Amino acid sequence: ERPPAPEEDPAAWPALRAAGAADAADRLASDARAGLMRDVDHARIARAWQGVRTGRHSLATFTGAVLKDGAAACLHPSGARDLPVRQARHDLVTGQVRLGTTADDPRNPYAYRGTGLALGTDLLGTSLLAVGPAGSGKTGGVVRPVAESLCLQALAGRAAVVVVGAAGAGLGPSDAYDVVVRIGSPDSVYDLDLYGGTTDPDEAAAVLAEALVGDLADPHPGSDSRRSTTVLAQLLGPFRAVHGRFPSVPELRQLLDGAPAPLTALRQGLEAAGQESLLRELDARERQMGHPGDVGGILADRVALLDRPAFAGFFDTSGQSRPFTLKALDHPVRVRVDLPERGHADASRMLARLVLAQFTASVAVREDRSLFACLVLDDATGVITPESVRGIQRLRSANAGVLLTLRTLDDVPRPLRGPLLGATGCRMALSGVTPWDGQDFAEVWGKEWTEARDVTDRQIIAESPAGKAVHALRRAITGKAPTARAVTVRQVERERWSASELAHAVPAGHVVLSLTNVKGEHAPPLLVDLRE
């Protein structure tokens, strides 16, 4: 059969030809035929062409780059054209990663049985929550493939990804990322900015308060940590005005503890600069320090968890280190943050809250929202707070999403479980969840109408003597009374997956997964085999 004409052949880049860039299309088609073009190259150049169509880049710049470099044009800033290793199966044309196969099981709707199941950015844009015990396959079967897919999308210029997990959790090799922040490790090249790269003291105070004491806020969704934010702002504003930077961890701890020397130095600096309004802030802070209900002491205790010898070289504000800030999510960057789980569990949970709070704050104010931003949090224990649930709810409109994993929903305060499951569009229960976790999933997945058949056997009573004789004969032969079978068919409402089924009927290596994409289209909960 004859080959398609260049205007119809997708491998001949018809969109470029239609726009008058036939020479660039010819170069790309010849590179593809010669085997020089990979799937990442195709996706990256298609994304760059999309930038030309929307007016972000000029046509002349694009065609010049393509004619010069061919399939290697418009490279990611790292210069990489692929990941060093791939474990999952990826389709970069649709931007999806295959997780497994839907089981051929009567509980799955007929149309979905035996089909491949993949996740793309249109599904991750509604956020995903995966719940399952240790060893059920959360990291290997879900987190690692999704992180790998997002790193490939970042190389193609379509996504920015931040992966947070314990050191050594198996989240991909270091050379698959542009920035690796190893908190607490002396050989870490990058540092983490405690204040998220902002220069506004109020914004910095809000994010830092959420990280330090967000888990202590009343877990009911209407509550917040406004008091802590005010206390931090009363110190961060004056300190920045005097020193031109935010305080380091030891300095912040001293200020919150109410050490006289730093506060006196701050007052003298403000008086010399004539900052009346900031002096009033400092006066208010000093007055509140003596009150029994002051939260400054609690904040100081939390900051003390970061003021440890292991973190001495981190969270530097003097400009000596290379701090990573989440303001960088305007670019297709690949970031991995290794948390010091061993010996510093409380500090790790605090830092995970900090990264989530900075992420939700920074993606909301991005100028270019065509880039999908995703935060992958490999263990969200202690991270779910009223403020973080509100932040997750706002991500969908900002072309961003989060992937959270939990060992059990018991790690989330009871009043927040419903709002958390409501805020995430994709929900996954892995094999081995507890019945009370299953109850929460069963409630959020709801019920469906199904056909119930009731079969009853009723004894036939003979009226006539001949009938009685026949019945006696039948009873003598069969040993049973003569009966008639009645079948009743009715519509009843039943749970899609009951708590007991989720706890006991999901085989090892399987998950039950419901999906919602950013357009609002959704699939019912499906039993999926992650091993196929």
Side-chain angles (χ1 to χ4, degrees):
E1 119 188 19
R2 63 180 184 81
E7 295 77 31
E8 299 165 5
D9 183 5
W13 298 83
L16 272 66
R17 294 180 192 281
D23 46 354
D26 288 337
R27 172 68 198 271
L28 292 172
S30 68
D31 275 15
R33 280 194 299 272
L36 301 174
M37 184 177 285
R38 311 172 193 191
D39 56 353
V40 178
D41 297 328
H42 181 277
R44 188 184 65 246
I45 292 166
R47 164 76 181 174
W49 174 248
Q50 188 186 343
V52 173
R53 299 290 301 273
T54 55
R56 280 203 311 276
H57 316 301
S58 73
L59 180 62
T61 312
F62 173 80
T63 51
V66 168
L67 291 172
K68 177 173 172 284
D69 299 319
C74 316
L75 275 181
H76 183 264
S78 69
R81 292 172 62 186
D82 204 347
L83 295 180
V85 62
R86 295 191 193 187
Q87 284 190 350
R89 290 166 62 188
H90 302 274
D91 179 357
L92 283 175
V93 175
T94 57
Q96 293 180 324
V97 56
R98 183 186 173 99
L99 288 190
T101 306
T102 50
D104 188 3
D105 185 279
R107 283 167 298 203
N108 279 346
Y110 185 76
Y112 292 97
R113 290 180 201 169
T115 57
L117 185 128
L119 282 184
T121 52
D122 57 333
L123 293 167
L124 291 171
T126 62
S127 298
L128 189 152
L129 174 70
V131 180
S136 58
K138 298 189 296 296
T139 303
V142 182
V143 173
R144 174 76 191 266
V146 168
E148 204 172 83
S149 171
L150 290 164
C151 286
L152 286 169
Q153 304 258 31
L155 290 179
R158 295 177 184 168
V161 57
V162 181
V163 181
V164 182
L171 301 174
S174 297
D175 44 0
Y177 295 91
D178 304 314
V179 174
V180 179
V181 185
R182 293 188 176 92
I183 297 171
S185 171
D187 58 351
S188 178
V189 177
Y190 287 91
D191 190 3
L192 187 67
D193 189 335
L194 208 55
Y195 303 98
T198 183
T199 54
D200 178 3
D202 292 326
E203 190 183 329
V207 171
L208 196 54
E210 164 66 9
L212 294 175
V213 292
D215 58 326
L216 299 180
D218 179 14
H220 289 276
S223 69
D224 57 22
S225 48
R226 208 171 301 170
R227 187 80 206 91
S228 311
T229 304
T230 306
V231 168
L232 284 165
Q234 286 170 341
L235 294 170
L236 295 182
F239 192 96
R240 183 169 178 81
V242 172
H243 297 280
R245 61 176 176 84
F246 286 125
S248 64
V249 170
E251 288 168 332
L252 182 59
R253 183 183 180 184
Q254 286 184 320
L255 290 170
L256 287 167
D257 268 333
L263 288 169
T264 307
L266 211 51
R267 177 177 295 282
Q268 289 168 351
L270 291 172
E271 285 170 350
Q275 296 271 12
E276 289 295 325
S277 63
L278 291 173
L279 271 170
R280 284 198 298 277
E281 289 272 273
L282 202 59
D283 287 341
R285 177 84 287 268
E286 289 184 335
R287 278 198 307 274
Q288 290 159 3
M289 271 176 198
H291 292 185
D294 181 43
V295 297
I298 299 168
L299 289 165
D301 290 343
R302 286 300 179 92
V303 171
L305 293 171
L306 299 179
D307 190 17
R308 309 294 307 149
F311 307 134
F314 284 84
F315 319 118
D316 180 58
T317 55
S318 62
Q320 304 296 313
S321 65
R322 297 173 68 186
F324 167 73
T325 79
L326 276 94
K327 297 283 183 191
L329 295 178
D330 279 337
H331 311 286
V333 66
R334 303 167 295 165
V335 184
R336 194 181 84 200
V337 181
D338 290 350
L339 299 175
E341 285 279 328
R342 281 184 61 185
H344 299 283
D346 287 336
S348 289
R349 283 197 281 273
M350 209 153 67
L351 292 167
R353 277 198 302 275
L354 177 73
V355 174
L356 178 57
Q358 289 185 0
F359 178 82
T360 52
S362 59
V363 296
V365 294
R366 288 186 304 164
E367 289 179 14
D368 176 15
R369 291 193 176 179
S370 66
L371 202 66
F372 179 71
C374 190
L375 173 68
V376 178
L377 199 50
D378 189 33
D379 184 4
T381 306
V383 176
I384 306 303
T385 67
E387 194 55 48
S388 67
V389 170
R390 277 195 288 269
I392 291 167
Q393 287 167 339
R394 291 192 291 264
L395 293 177
R396 188 164 162 180
S397 60
N399 193 22
V402 293
L403 190 165
L404 305 169
T405 72
L406 287 166
R407 291 189 191 94
T408 167
L409 285 171
D410 285 344
D411 291 334
V412 178
R414 163 56 68 189
L416 291 178
R417 286 179 209 170
L420 174 65
L421 286 164
T424 51
C426 304
R427 309 170 189 110
M428 181 185 289
L430 287 96
S431 169
V433 297
T434 59
W436 41 95
D437 279 356
Q439 187 62 51
D440 288 314
F441 278 105
E443 281 179 19
V444 79
W445 281 331
K447 298 181 178 181
E448 63 181 346
W449 287 102
T450 185
E451 216 171 64
R453 293 166 61 88
D454 293 336
V455 180
T456 53
D457 285 339
R458 64 181 180 82
Q459 187 174 348
I460 306 170
I461 307 298
E463 301 291 337
S464 65
K468 288 177 181 174
V470 171
H471 281 194
L473 183 63
R474 280 179 65 180
R475 191 180 297 112
I477 295 169
T478 63
K480 294 178 185 173
T483 57
R485 176 166 290 183
V487 179
T488 308
V489 178
R490 57 201 172 91
Q491 295 285 320
V492 295
E493 213 177 7
R494 290 229 174 104
E495 287 176 320
R496 296 173 189 271
W497 277 84
S498 72
S500 180
E501 282 180 321
L502 286 168
H504 306 296
V506 179
H510 289 60
V511 301
V512 180
L513 167 67
S514 68
L515 300 169
T516 307
N517 70 8
V518 288
K519 293 177 185 170
E521 300 161 342
H522 50 85
L526 305 169
L527 181 66
V528 179
D529 187 351
L530 293 182
R531 299 168 300 186
E532 287 187 16

